[in-house]
Amino acid sequence: GKSTFAKTRELMRKPKRFYDVQRLHVTDTGRKNALSGIRATVFGGTSPLGAAIGMKLNHFGSICVYPHRATGDFSNPIFRELRVNADLGYKAAIRLMDFTDQNEIDFTLKHSNVAICAIGSRRFYKNQEDFDDANIHVPVTIAKAIRDNPEIKRFIYISAAGADPNSPSRMLRTKWLGEQRVRDIYPDVTVLRPTTIFNTLDPNNSPQGKWGSMLKMFNRTVFRVEGANGLVQPVSFGDIALATINALKDEESIGQAYELGGPHVYTWDEIYEMFHSVTGVKPYIIPLKLETVLEWAHSPKLSSHYRYMGKYWMYPEFLLNESIDITTNPDEKSFADLYIKPVAFATNVKQYVEDILIYNSGAHEVDPQAFNG
């Protein structure tokens, strides 16, 4: 007869499956070294939002692959976060040369059953080609690779609230075009459209980074464009990451679109007033005409390496972002349909400002009596 060891091995042997799994099975009760059933490729994982999504996935034992074209060392603050986030064997970073090459995208999806696209254009882009590449060409290539891969069960695509083909913002125009093409290629995609995102992982990519840079560089002086006081519905990057997880768990979200915004709507004047209130710094605001700012943006000095000093507030896309209303459509699905109550901006504003102070070498100290959030 068989030995006890052979019988034990036979009992422990993984049974062979004679069928293909048709849906995503998620187990979210484990810890970092568990197996959640999710093997995700997170495109844009080196952005603050993509990193937040990966962190939440890793928290309950998901395996994440991060394709990137950034510098994958400790000089990158996002990589510093990702390296300590997951257990050994639960993360991998793959550097690609061309995100519009479907063969390279196929390689990153080889062992995955979930794909998440958090790729988007940067605020300081100037050329139309850069916007087209980030918001149209790359997402379309990813959607084609997912369509041709039967192992991918879910695809989450992060677009933008306010995306419209007639928007004055090149980012919102190209986001709309990219979203339409992705949905044509892969109709089962789940689309998330966040409003203006505030994050604490890399604040310089958030609007408070613009405010903090001017506070430091120009001796508490803040430049504002006349009339650039649109409505903003700030949302935390953690809430968008949680919405991504809940969408993966809920099969009813397949093929649906959700507009995700915070619980309150402000003007940009009110946003900056909160920043000044928390820090206790007396505001010195200089109004400028839009023509003057655009003239400065194209000056020879800002075409050299000095452009990085003003890129967070003097670039056309950032100016347009503050002059148009970016809020959610009440007729669309929202956080409530994903069983989430988003965090109010006023709850996190102190944390946003504290991070700015750290990044600016502690120019000013937070007065704990100035704001009781």
Side-chain angles (χ1 to χ4, degrees), residues 62-76:
S62 303
I63 300 172
C64 292
V65 176
Y66 301 100
H68 69 97
R69 53 187 174 188
T71 303
D73 57 25
F74 281 98
S75 65
N76 188 319

Side-chain angles (χ1 to χ4, degrees), residues 27-37 55-63 85-91:
T27 303
D28 62 350
T29 56
R31 303 300 291 269
K32 286 186 176 182
N33 57 354
L35 289 174
S36 71
M55 291 174 188
K56 287 192 178 294
L57 286 170
N58 290 139
H59 185 70
F60 57 91
S62 303
I63 300 172
N85 177 59
D87 222 340
L88 184 63
Y90 283 76
K91 63 183 183 298

Side-chain angles (χ1 to χ4, degrees), residues 66-72 93-97 99 104:
Y66 301 100
H68 69 97
R69 53 187 174 188
T71 303
I94 303 176
R95 187 167 189 177
L96 304 184
M97 298 300 295
F99 271 73
E104 293 193 32

Side-chain angles (χ1 to χ4, degrees), residues 319-364:
L319 301 176
L320 286 170
N321 183 61
E322 294 190 2
S323 62
I324 60 179
D325 299 340
I326 301 180
T327 57
T328 57
N329 184 350
D331 297 329
E332 297 284 349
K333 292 189 174 184
S334 64
F335 273 122
D337 297 282
L338 294 172
Y339 312 101
I340 297 173
K341 186 176 181 180
V343 178
F345 177 77
T347 303
N348 285 344
V349 65
K350 183 176 180 181
Q351 186 177 357
Y352 296 145
V353 176
E354 284 179 336
D355 278 322
I356 290 299
L357 298 179
I358 293 172
Y359 271 78
N360 287 298
S361 304
H364 309 282

Side-chain angles (χ1 to χ4, degrees), residues 23 34 42 93 96 98 110 128 158 174 197 209 213 215-216 220 228 239 241 248 294 297 303 352 354-355 370:
R23 54 189 290 269
V42 184
L96 304 184
D98 183 7
K110 186 175 182 181
Q128 183 65 39
I158 298 175
T174 53
I197 300 176
S213 296
L215 189 74
K216 178 73 173 182
R220 298 176 293 168
D239 289 333
L248 289 175
L294 291 177
S303 298
Y352 296 145
E354 284 179 336
D355 278 322

